[in-house]
Amino acid sequence: MSFTTGNETHTERRRRSFERVRGKTTRMSVHFEERSGVVPCKTPWGSWYQTMEEVFIEVDVPHGTSAKEVRCHLGSRDIELRVKGQEVFKGKLFGTTMSDEATWTLEDKCLIRIILMKTNREAGNCWSSLLEGEYCANAWVQDQMQRKLTLERFQRENPGFDFSGAEISGNFAGGGPDFSSLQK
């Protein structure tokens, strides 16, 4: 369970959560995400978004919710969240995750944040929905998610450059163009 002060910004809370919960997340990818922003897929209960390595789920819950009122199952292929006995969502994940790396936190007694670690961490592994057939990203959001993952891939391949504000056009689907055969 996580508690934050009211003076922190959303970005500061996320960075602190990343550093505490995802000790293996590299500073480079955290800073890339902070500078470039996220592409959320809105849902009736909140939103979800992704990086090359992780899927983040943010669930708005009634203010005053306690951790004892939350039941969260995080499997490698399935997920279930219940709050105060009511099902929020349940189903088969779009992709596979490492269940022993998954975590959830309750922040400010009004937000549940779930972090799932993808097993396939390639830029081409852009989830089009959170669950199979549910909470799908519309075409525009899916396009923006894929663009962001492609830029994240470019950032990792070229750490001396800053791609956080870059625009991309052309072939970015499936992780973008493959430059591995080019000589340096």
Side-chain angles (χ1 to χ4, degrees), residues 96-113:
T96 58
T97 63
M98 296 188 300
S99 59
D100 59 337
E101 293 284 326
T103 189
W104 67 270
T105 59
L106 174 62
E107 298 181 12
D108 300 326
K109 297 188 175 191
C110 63
L111 177 72
I112 296 173
R113 188 179 316 276

Side-chain angles (χ1 to χ4, degrees), residues 80-83 85-90:
E80 179 179 7
L81 178 65
R82 299 180 75 80
V83 177
Q86 300 295 310
E87 182 179 289
V88 178
F89 53 75
K90 177 182 180 178

Side-chain angles (χ1 to χ4, degrees), residues 2-183:
S2 170
F3 297 97
T4 57
T5 66
N7 297 330
E8 286 183 304
T9 66
H10 177 70
T11 300
E12 289 168 337
R13 280 194 301 264
R14 281 192 23 242
R15 179 180 17 196
R16 198 162 48 77
S17 292
F18 287 142
E19 291 172 353
R20 182 182 61 251
V21 177
R22 295 260 62 94
K24 297 178 183 173
T25 301
T26 63
R27 282 211 176 283
M28 179 185 65
S29 48
V30 170
H31 293 307
F32 177 79
E33 183 179 326
E34 287 176 357
R35 289 189 313 266
S36 65
V38 299
V39 180
C41 180
K42 300 291 184 188
T43 66
W45 38 258
S47 65
W48 67 274
Y49 59 95
Q50 63 187 309
T51 64
M52 284 176 54
E53 293 185 352
E54 297 168 313
V55 175
F56 299 87
I57 306 167
E58 296 180 347
V59 181
D60 299 315
V61 296
H63 189 73
T65 299
S66 72
K68 291 180 180 181
E69 297 172 303
V70 176
R71 295 290 173 255
C72 188
H73 166 75
L74 304 172
S76 62
R77 289 289 297 146
D78 60 308
I79 188 170
E80 179 179 7
L81 178 65
R82 299 180 75 80
V83 177
K84 297 184 178 188
Q86 300 295 310
E87 182 179 289
V88 178
F89 53 75
K90 177 182 180 178
K92 189 172 181 181
L93 293 165
F94 181 83
T96 58
T97 63
M98 296 188 300
S99 59
D100 59 337
E101 293 284 326
T103 189
W104 67 270
T105 59
L106 174 62
E107 298 181 12
D108 300 326
K109 297 188 175 191
C110 63
L111 177 72
I112 296 173
R113 188 179 316 276
I114 300 170
I115 304 173
L116 307 173
M117 181 71 72
K118 294 178 178 179
T119 54
N120 178 352
R121 298 179 194 153
E122 301 294 323
N125 182 29
C126 185
W127 291 19
S128 59
S129 64
L130 179 61
L131 303 179
E132 288 186 354
E134 292 187 78
Y135 313 117
C136 300
N138 65 37
W140 186 86
V141 169
Q142 179 66 28
D143 179 70
Q144 295 304 306
M145 284 180 169
Q146 185 61 69
R147 288 173 189 253
K148 182 165 175 26
L149 293 186
T150 300
L151 289 172
E152 184 180 352
R153 186 194 111 205
F154 289 166
Q155 180 69 59
R156 288 174 185 229
E157 292 172 353
N158 303 281
F161 294 95
D162 181 3
F163 289 92
S164 63
E167 293 291 324
I168 188 170
S169 62
N171 179 19
F172 55 85
D178 180 10
F179 298 119
S180 62
S181 62
L182 298 177
Q183 292 183 356

